[in-house]
Amino acid sequence: MGIVAGLDSSPDFTRIVVCDTDTGAVLRQGYAPHPVETPDGGGRPSDVDPQAWLLSLGEAAGGGLLEGVQAIGVSAQQNALVPLDAQGNTVRPALVGGDKRAQVAAADLADALGGREAWAQAVGSVPQAAQPVTKLRWLARNEPENALRTAVLLQAHDWLVWQLLGRPVRRTTDRGGASGTGYWSAATGGYRPDLVELSLGHQAMLPEVIGPSDAAGTTPEGLLISAGTGETMAAAFGLGIGLGDAVVSLGASGSVMAVHPEALADQSGMITSLADATGMHLPVVTTLNAVRTLRGTAELLGLPDLESLSDLAMKSTPGSHGLVLLPYLEGERTPHLPHTAGTLAGLRRESMKPEHLARASFEGMLCGLADALDVLRGRGVEVRRVFLLGAAAELPAVQAAAPSLFGAQVVVPQPADYAAIGAARQAAWALGVSQGSLDPRTPPAWHGAAAQVLEPGEELAVGQAVRQQFVSVREQTHPGAFRP
């Protein structure tokens, strides 16, 4: 078939991979940071001119990177809302990231529809500050003139696809991107325009949701552009996960997602019901505390980095001599304890040693993520193996404890640009379908990610005992807070 490109526009940079359409082998790659100023005090900006994404795209594609490419797939940061006026111009910079300005708007919106349960039934998720639907509410309340001028709503990957195609009249998105907006339901496969009106104050044009193997169009130069999708869905597609697979992502906060054949409505709001990039579903459960638990413990113990914390933890034993850390340092979303704090239990003279606290921090973080996994298992999601992502997945203390605490085979893929690879795989699929060489229901069978495979083995019983110790402390401290 030839070669295709996958373009991932993350919050900080654009990365492009050029892949062989048959095997998925990465042949060339490009990279460029977004030309965006860091706000005073550090962190990421909440408002970004989308032109910055195009500028870094052009730079990343320099030097003839895309020469010979037949199709491009686009992955981009999720939840970035690009409001356009009737002429297709941006009304204001894109609202990006987990915008803390919108926290009040999220609570406001939840009440406006009748509470968390009403939202879960309507669109499979409860309003969060990051979601486009919540950002629309913030816009209507804080910038009413801009809200009135807003006629079209796009997300980052929608906008980039539209630009690559030369800004045609038709604007498209995919199921994955649409499922994160808060105004499209993965269960029904349809928009809820009434929720756009509830948040923005009036209707707006929404992009057409096209199928996973559909093409969004062809560029003036004849390049096929696939549907595109959000970074989470693209990474899952790039990893090649399927039924029976879950992905645990270790960032400052954590997330657990799994492929499932149907949408899951969750009245508690713990599950966000997203769609994946293949036509299936991708329920996600988020914890607020993952690697930040490890960083906090390292600071408390005066250690310079997480590698040192891992080395120290390996001097302890499973169960940390009875120490249990409930890692709810920033409050917690799973279970829903937004105003709580962390708890350290089991302090005895013999357990008050640095290595036991170090071990307890790893076990507490992983038990919190195992709780999130159990939310999905409790709803009938099969979990045979767990893909562990993030730099912390390489730490020996994580690898030693995760298989037995999760009760499943753990796969640690080699670091790679999985979102960009997933976008390229989508491009290969759309190209194959357009040429009649691939089935629109079956994506190209690319080689899976190179990975380390860890089995629970004989440690399973010990790990489950540690897990039970954690659950007992959690139930004593926060009775009834968690119902998987």
Side-chain angles (χ1 to χ4, degrees):
M1 280 165 60
I3 58 173
V4 292
L7 181 165
D8 177 40
S9 182
S10 86
D12 300 313
F13 56 79
T14 298
R15 200 176 289 281
I16 301 174
V17 296
V18 176
C19 298
D20 179 276
T21 50
D22 294 322
T23 65
V26 176
L27 308 174
R28 308 191 284 267
Q29 43 196 324
Y31 166 88
H34 297 318
V36 172
E37 286 185 22
T38 304
D40 292 339
R44 288 173 176 156
S46 299
D47 296 338
V48 173
D49 183 347
Q51 293 297 327
W53 308 332
L54 277 185
L55 289 169
S56 68
L57 192 169
E59 191 180 333
L65 185 79
L66 299 179
E67 198 173 313
V69 163
Q70 295 166 277
I72 296 177
V74 177
S75 150
Q77 59 179 302
Q78 281 150 246
N79 299 321
L81 177 70
V82 187
L84 304 179
D85 64 19
Q87 286 72 46
N89 302 312
T90 50
V91 168
R92 69 177 315 284
L95 291 146
V96 299
D99 200 330
K100 288 191 173 177
R101 295 176 299 184
Q103 285 175 340
V104 172
D108 193 22
L109 263 187
D111 293 341
L113 193 65
R116 299 165 67 85
E117 186 176 340
W119 278 95
Q121 293 293 341
V123 289
S125 63
V126 176
Q128 301 291 333
Q131 283 183 304
V133 72
T134 307
K135 289 169 177 168
L136 289 177
R137 182 71 153 201
W138 180 88
L139 194 64
R141 292 283 186 270
N142 293 276
E143 299 178 5
E145 289 181 7
N146 285 336
L148 278 173
R149 287 176 55 217
T150 299
V152 182
L153 302 177
L154 297 180
Q155 291 187 88
H157 80 82
D158 311 336
W159 188 84
L160 284 165
V161 164
W162 184 57
Q163 296 292 329
L164 289 172
L165 291 172
R167 298 165 61 106
V169 173
R170 181 193 189 215
R171 299 178 183 94
T172 62
T173 191
D174 84 307
R175 295 170 64 257
S179 66
T181 59
Y183 44 78
W184 185 88
S185 166
T188 65
Y191 279 116
R192 288 289 301 264
D194 57 315
L195 299 182
V196 173
E197 189 164 349
L198 180 70
S199 53
L200 184 62
H202 62 86
Q203 292 292 345
M205 283 186 65
L206 303 169
E208 177 188 343
V209 181
I210 61 177
S213 62
D214 291 345
T218 307
T219 68
E221 299 78 30
L223 264 176
L224 183 139
I225 308 291
S226 63
T229 196
E231 270 189 320
T232 298
M233 299 79 191
F237 197 43
L239 281 166
I241 69 167
L243 291 172
D245 293 334
V247 177
V248 172
S249 185
L250 299 175
S253 53
S255 69
V256 176
M257 62 182 175
V259 178
H260 197 56
E262 60 192 36
L264 297 176
D266 175 48
Q267 297 174 10
S268 72
M270 283 194 287
I271 298 174
T272 298
S273 193
L274 300 177
D276 80 345
T278 72
M280 301 272 268
H281 295 271
L282 203 62
V284 178
V285 181
T286 303
T287 69
L288 293 181
N289 300 279
V291 176
R292 63 166 44 100
T293 305
L294 306 182
R295 294 203 185 286
T297 308
E299 286 170 18
L300 180 66
L301 293 172
L303 298 171
D305 50 40
L306 297 188
E307 287 73 21
S308 304
L309 184 70
S310 174
D311 292 344
L312 185 61
M314 294 299 282
K315 294 177 181 173
S316 180
T317 53
S320 311
H321 272 244
L323 274 193
V324 175
L325 177 64
L326 299 184
Y328 307 150
L329 309 183
E330 299 277 326
E332 191 44 85
R333 188 172 159 188
T334 307
H336 185 61
L337 297 165
H339 306 300
T340 194
T343 302
L344 184 63
L347 282 170
R348 297 179 187 277
R349 181 67 192 87
E350 61 271 19
S351 66
M352 295 175 74
K353 293 183 178 175
E355 62 265 30
H356 302 324
L357 178 57
R359 177 94 189 193
S361 71
F362 282 95
E363 290 178 344
M365 174 187 77
L366 292 168
C367 283
L369 290 160
D371 278 352
L373 264 176
D374 280 354
V375 172
L376 295 178
R377 284 177 167 136
R379 294 297 307 277
V381 176
E382 185 183 9
V383 179
R384 287 196 305 270
R385 58 180 182 166
V386 174
F387 285 74
L388 205 52
L389 302 185
E394 303 287 335
L395 296 172
V398 169
Q399 296 190 3
S404 63
L405 292 177
F406 292 159
Q409 182 187 82
V410 168
V411 179
V412 184
Q414 284 183 2
D417 303 311
Y418 291 110
I421 291 167
R425 190 179 178 207
Q426 188 194 65
W429 194 7
L431 181 65
V433 169
S434 76
Q435 295 175 338
S437 58
L438 286 178
D439 187 317
R441 294 159 301 183
T442 311
W446 282 10
H447 299 318
Q452 214 178 336
V453 178
L454 310 167
E455 300 284 355
E458 295 175 2
E459 296 293 313
L460 182 59
V462 175
Q464 292 307 293
V466 173
R467 181 81 206 291
Q468 193 50 54
Q469 183 176 267
F470 178 90
V471 170
S472 298
V473 172
R474 190 196 64 219
E475 280 301 305
Q476 286 165 15
T477 313
H478 305 287
F482 187 83
R483 290 284 177 265

